[in-house]
Amino acid sequence: MIDDVIAEGARACVVYRFALGGGDGKPWRERAGCATVRFDERGQIEEWREYEG
Amino acid sequence: MNLNGITGQQQHHEDLSIHVHVIDDIEVFELTGSLDIATSPTVRAALTSASERGGHQLIVDLTQVDFLDSTGLGALIGGQRRAREFGGEVRLVAKEGQILRLLRITGLLKVFSVYPTLEDAVKNGQRVGDL
């Protein structure tokens, strides 16, 4: 799930949540991450730098 | 926890304290402790509330923060987005160390103006470089 996006020219910063799990009936665990993204002149992702610590 | 209208006061939440005061019409949030999954909602709410009250320029002083995880970064980014919606900006203060290294490796020096001291942030002076 996307929580926040800041877009500025060819760059964007994305804050998101995701779930890890579960397997063997274990519950899914929610984690959070954020990434800075740079797009090329065609609008395709050129760089995706993320942090999920 | 509601920081509406609070200035010059101390707020405590889990392992984080927030001291809010105003310098030259800029609202300054001095954080001490850990900015993590437990405390980041408080910071996000405080920044959002300040923007909605008309605080155009906000400063978050991270020099006394000893731990910052992705939810904490998310709170700062959310605060920045909200501030920009209201025509403002969140400036950060971070000294050399783990917190600044994290801001560098995540590329967030492109998203925030980061200053080495509170004085620099207030005066919009010397910024931390993107090495």
Side-chain angles (χ1 to χ4, degrees), chain A:
Chain A
M1 187 176 93
I2 303 293
D3 286 324
D4 274 303
V5 176
I6 297 176
E8 203 174 78
R11 289 185 173 274
C13 182
V14 186
V15 180
Y16 55 90
R17 278 177 281 169
F18 62 101
L20 287 174
D24 298 329
K26 293 176 184 171
W28 289 75
R29 290 173 290 130
E30 186 175 280
R31 301 283 300 275
C34 62
T36 52
V37 189
R38 192 174 71 233
F39 302 94
D40 64 18
E41 65 277 1
R42 295 169 298 169
Q44 295 182 328
I45 292 174
E46 191 170 61
E47 180 187 354
W48 176 278
R49 199 187 301 187
E50 67 183 9
Y51 180 69
E52 294 167 358

Side-chain angles (χ1 to χ4, degrees), chain B residues 1-70:
Chain B
M1 195 167 299
N2 186 357
L3 290 176
N4 273 339
I6 292 177
T7 57
Q9 293 188 20
Q10 194 92 8
Q11 293 284 314
H12 293 275
H13 184 284
E14 304 279 332
D15 292 324
L16 182 78
S17 70
I18 309 173
H19 180 228
V20 187
H21 57 108
V22 176
I23 303 176
D24 293 348
D25 291 330
I26 300 174
E27 206 157 344
V28 179
F29 298 78
E30 291 184 2
L31 310 186
T32 303
S34 297
L35 182 48
D36 55 21
I37 193 166
T39 59
S40 57
T42 306
V43 172
R44 180 189 288 261
L47 295 176
T48 299
S49 172
S51 290
E52 289 173 351
R53 287 199 313 273
H56 295 301
Q57 302 299 329
L58 308 176
I59 293 174
V60 179
D61 187 342
L62 300 172
T63 53
Q64 298 302 315
V65 169
D66 51 31
F67 180 75
L68 175 61
D69 72 3
S70 55

Side-chain angles (χ1 to χ4, degrees), chain B residues 67-99:
Chain B
F67 180 75
L68 175 61
D69 72 3
S70 55
T71 57
L73 289 175
L76 296 175
I77 294 164
Q80 180 72 296
R81 183 183 62 80
R82 201 70 175 147
R84 288 184 182 180
E85 281 178 2
F86 285 85
E89 177 196 21
V90 173
R91 302 173 187 169
L92 302 181
V93 181
K95 59 189 178 190
E96 287 297 336
Q98 275 192 318
I99 302 298

